[in-house]
Amino acid sequence: MAESEVERAARHLADLLAMAVEHGPGQAALIVYDTRCDLNLALTEAYRRAAPNATFIDFDSVTPEAVLAAFAAMAAADLVVLIQSTSFRLEAFRIRIELFKRGLKVIEHVHLARMPGAQGEYYIDSLAYDPAYYRGVGHALKARIDRAQSGRVDSGGEQLVFGSPFESAKLNIGDYSGMNNIGGQFPLGEVFTEARELEAVNGRVRIFVFGDTSFHVNRPDTPITLIVEQGRVAGAENSTPEFDNMLAIIRAHEGEVWLRELGFGMNRAFSRSRLVDDIGTYERMCGIHLSLGAKHGVYAKPQFKRKDARYHVDVFAVTEAVYLDDERIYQDGAWQIA
């Protein structure tokens, strides 16, 4: 990756460290990386410039015990950064969860090998942190969602109607005030909720991307129109074999396909024309995404038992307009709220 990209990444990371996770020069930082893809190499070098006093460990050159020992040496409020071509595995040790339990700040970069070439540049763009935008618009979105009695997504002539108030919205905007944990999976940029009454969701919505069975972005040639009745997928027009297979897998295990999450993506580095292959990263795209399947660990619903809810598949709506009550809050590819 070009030197200019590395330098740009270093500037973005310095902003994230200072303003989002509030990592000061007097605090220790441990950066665990691998060297399996170009984007990993670029981000690792960028962190060397943004956090020159950090300790760096090549995950592939040491034993798992050495990594665990390095984690154990960290004090509460110190920072751990994980730069992963895929996703680091340490037997039963659930890395981010365990680090949070110890009071550590965590920045996770995952599945970077899924984003080669120009996608790596989009990923670096996505790390830019504008606190006025993320915090201003993010908190305004949450406030508006939390008081809304209904909502509607216009995906180019098709209307998906949420005839219910929403669950209290959650934020992923780089503002951790009042939260138990600081950090998470990066990039930032999402406010999410779901209908309090899932069966009050009805209508049609055009989907231009969905997450396939390998957690990659799948973009059909023509958007798929989902037909939603009482919170469940009742049909799919202009579908593809891959999408039909995904629906069949969910139905085989859960009986029906529920629509749950309503995600308000905020990251302006990603759009319908600027995609990355990793679905968990692309989830931050500026626009609306939804989830198919009964699984959503953040919001408990009486009709679902946690052990039976297995699937949470992200799908991305063609987003022409979004309304909360009768107020339009999304227009011309941007959130119109302050």
Side-chain angles (χ1 to χ4, degrees), residues 4-22:
S4 59
E5 293 297 318
V6 175
E7 185 56 34
R8 191 160 58 88
R11 291 195 301 270
H12 294 338
L13 294 175
D15 288 342
L16 284 172
L17 292 174
M19 294 185 283
V21 301
E22 297 181 354

Side-chain angles (χ1 to χ4, degrees), residues 2 4 43 52 90 101 108 115 120 122 140-141 145 158 178 181 185 211 237 253 297 324 332:
S4 59
L43 285 185
L90 290 171
K101 286 180 180 178
E108 261 201 302
M115 296 175 278
Y122 300 161
L141 270 175
I145 292 165
E158 303 289 7
N181 302 320
Q185 182 176 326
E237 298 175 357
H253 293 99
L324 291 175
D332 299 327

Side-chain angles (χ1 to χ4, degrees), residues 52 57 65 93 121 137 140 150 185 202 249 268 284 286 293:
I57 294 179
E65 291 76 18
F93 188 87
E121 297 176 15
V137 173
S150 64
Q185 182 176 326
N202 294 277
I249 291 170
R268 296 173 291 193
R284 314 298 193 230
C286 193

Side-chain angles (χ1 to χ4, degrees), residues 122-161:
Y122 300 161
Y123 187 89
I124 289 172
D125 288 342
S126 77
L127 298 176
Y129 190 60
D130 178 350
Y133 169 69
Y134 279 118
R135 298 185 182 195
V137 173
H139 283 292
L141 270 175
K142 173 177 168 55
R144 189 64 188 85
I145 292 165
D146 288 354
R147 71 174 187 268
Q149 297 301 301
S150 64
R152 177 163 54 95
V153 176
D154 180 338
S155 58
E158 303 289 7
Q159 309 290 321
L160 183 65
V161 177

Side-chain angles (χ1 to χ4, degrees), residues 22-64:
E22 297 181 354
H23 175 73
Q27 295 171 296
L30 172 66
I31 297 171
V32 184
Y33 65 96
D34 67 57
T35 60
R36 304 173 206 164
C37 73
D38 288 344
L39 185 52
N40 268 52
L41 295 171
L43 285 185
T44 301
E45 175 57 28
Y47 270 107
R48 292 189 189 277
R49 301 178 190 185
N53 296 322
T55 298
F56 286 77
I57 294 179
D58 181 346
F59 185 83
D60 293 327
S61 69
V62 299
T63 64

